[in-house]
Amino acid sequence: MSQEIRVRFAPSPTGHLHIGGARSALFNYLFARNQNGKFIVRIEDTDQARNVDTAMEKLMESMKWLGINWDESIDIGGPHSPYRSMERLDIYKKFVDQLLEEGKAYHCYMTTEELEAEREDQRSRGETPKYSGRDRNLTAEQKQAYEAEGRKPVVRFLVPEKEEIHVNDAVRGDVTFESDGVGDFVIVRQDGIPTYNFAVVIDDHLMEISHVIRGEEHLSNAPRQVLLFQAFGWTPPEFAHASLILNEDKQKMSKRDESIIQFVEQYRDLGYLPEAIVNFIALLGWSPGGEEEILSIDELAEQFSLDRVIKAPAVFDTQKLAWMNNQYMKEAAEDRVVALALPHLIQAGRLPKDMSEAQTQWAHDLIILHQEKMSYGAEIVELTELFFRAEIDYNEEAKEILAEEQVPEVIAALKTKLNDLEEFTAEHVKKAIKAVQKETGHKGKKLFMPVRVAATGQMHGPDLPQAIALLGKAVVNQRLAKLL
């Protein structure tokens, strides 16, 4: 194993960056930074049928947005280039040939139909389906006969029988598998392209990867990979398999589960802050040393260690994510909050795309008025609905407030005071409300609740003078006049 800490994130370019993949990338990044090591991003694109155009670029864009930066990859190069599997086929071929020559791998000519029939037969006998090893010892004549039929072989790795395979796991300890349960697995497909399990072993060895940190769903790949390391006489890296991520019903999270937003790009588009997403996913299966939960990426790196990665499944708590993002939104610079929220008001048709200076300032003030309450940018559309509504539909609770005996006096006085204002600003509105208090003698709830309900239609909301100022003199006057 390499003396230097070297870790990698090796996604397949099959779609957007999933929250589980983002967590794996983040854990690797944090571990590398904590240990003064190197973090490598490698693209495992050998499964050509599943690859998606532009997926690779989108994966890397999402990682950069999160602030997860790498030391070696396809864009910046490094001492172990290339960092894309399909550009390393010549490298893999040498090692495939070595296994074939040493009798540790062989050509298998079974068709898809034959393999399925074999599995069906095993299932009918109550056995776990696995490859039977039918083509392990084919003669040259048998191979020629199959090839004459037009069959193209795969290459299978010859799994030793009746052996224990030990996976050294930093999270789970020594995990043992029986080789008889694995079966001879494919390392090269019919098209001559190696499978993930083979390519990843060659790359991990040649790139001197010291630790493989990934999700628990990859644990079943570990015994195959350990067998390949052993076949070449190489020391496997240390493995660390983080817990599964469960949904709020404590079920394994599926990419088809619509109860949770699962892709990093979606969170970016909804107006979440990347540092909040990083903070949240770091706590999915890892715990910091103290009680503090709000941690920057640098603070996370300073504290990160594999011995605090938890075996128990992590639950994706959407409410906690919203709370955490809100903590970051409260502290964010005003211009940044506006940049997150404004596109959603425009997209919803609430504001024009091209705005005057006055409109831009009004939009800025409106968004900042709701900064304390906002969990993410897109929420601004719902939070500001009252500012774009022509008519207020007062609910029963609001009607009860407006039915109180002092209300007509308060509303009439307020209408007069607001009408007299030359500058309709929050500061002047505040003075007008104080003047109503002095004139009518009503204060506290008796004053502020009718004013808020009459002007906004809501029992609770943002700063009242600021809200009234943003609604504008004409709108507020119209609402008060209608009530009177």
Side-chain angles (χ1 to χ4, degrees), residues 33 39 41 60 63-64 68-73 75-76:
R33 295 295 171 261
F39 173 52
V41 173
M60 298 181 88
M63 288 171 65
K64 284 179 182 173
I68 301 173
N69 301 309
W70 43 85
D71 302 296
E72 300 171 27
S73 189
D75 56 342
I76 57 175

Side-chain angles (χ1 to χ4, degrees), residues 136-201:
R136 270 185 182 178
N137 301 301
L138 292 177
T139 64
E141 289 77 15
Q142 287 173 308
K143 289 180 182 179
Q144 284 175 355
Y146 281 136
E147 284 169 13
E149 291 177 24
R151 296 193 187 203
K152 288 186 176 178
V154 298
V155 178
R156 286 186 182 272
F157 178 74
L158 182 60
V159 174
E161 293 179 350
K162 296 182 172 53
E163 279 192 13
E164 283 191 342
I165 308 162
H166 294 271
V167 176
N168 176 27
D169 194 294
V171 178
R172 294 154 204 287
D174 181 34
V175 185
T176 306
F177 296 86
E178 299 294 331
S179 66
D180 287 358
V182 176
D184 296 351
F185 54 93
V186 177
I187 58 173
V188 181
R189 299 187 190 89
Q190 286 180 326
D191 59 8
I193 296 174
T195 59
Y196 163 80
N197 274 319
F198 183 77
V200 81
V201 166

Side-chain angles (χ1 to χ4, degrees), residues 304-321:
F304 191 84
S305 65
L306 292 177
D307 59 8
R308 298 196 70 85
V309 176
I310 303 160
K311 270 195 236 181
V315 177
F316 193 103
D317 185 340
T318 52
Q319 287 186 327
K320 183 170 182 178
L321 173 57

Side-chain angles (χ1 to χ4, degrees), residues 391-460:
E391 298 287 333
I392 294 178
D393 184 16
Y394 297 102
N395 63 24
E396 290 306 313
E397 205 175 0
K399 286 175 183 175
E400 283 180 26
I401 296 289
L402 296 174
E404 292 175 6
E405 61 179 351
Q406 85 285 7
V407 171
E409 183 186 7
V410 167
I411 299 303
L414 178 67
K415 185 175 183 299
T416 301
K417 301 294 181 199
L418 293 180
N419 237 350
D420 292 343
L421 292 179
E422 288 185 18
E423 290 183 64
F424 207 75
T425 63
E427 187 183 347
H428 288 88
V429 169
K430 189 174 184 179
K431 287 177 181 175
I433 295 172
K434 284 202 170 196
V436 171
Q437 178 182 327
K438 191 173 180 182
E439 181 182 310
T440 64
H442 300 298
K443 59 186 178 179
K445 279 189 174 182
K446 292 288 184 184
L447 171 68
F448 290 102
M449 284 301 281
V451 171
R452 181 176 290 281
V453 171
T456 71
Q458 296 180 343
M459 305 284 290
H460 311 282

Side-chain angles (χ1 to χ4, degrees), residues 366 369-370 382-395 398 401-402 411 414 418 429 433 448-472 475-477 479-480 483:
L366 178 69
L369 179 64
H370 294 85
E382 184 182 345
L383 288 172
T384 60
E385 198 242 339
L386 76 95
F387 292 89
F388 301 96
R389 195 192 305 160
E391 298 287 333
I392 294 178
D393 184 16
Y394 297 102
N395 63 24
I401 296 289
L402 296 174
I411 299 303
L414 178 67
L418 293 180
V429 169
I433 295 172
F448 290 102
M449 284 301 281
V451 171
R452 181 176 290 281
V453 171
T456 71
Q458 296 180 343
M459 305 284 290
H460 311 282
D463 178 77
L464 183 55
Q466 185 70 28
I468 289 174
L470 285 169
L471 280 165
V475 169
V476 176
N477 264 339
R479 289 178 180 180
L480 298 181
L483 277 174

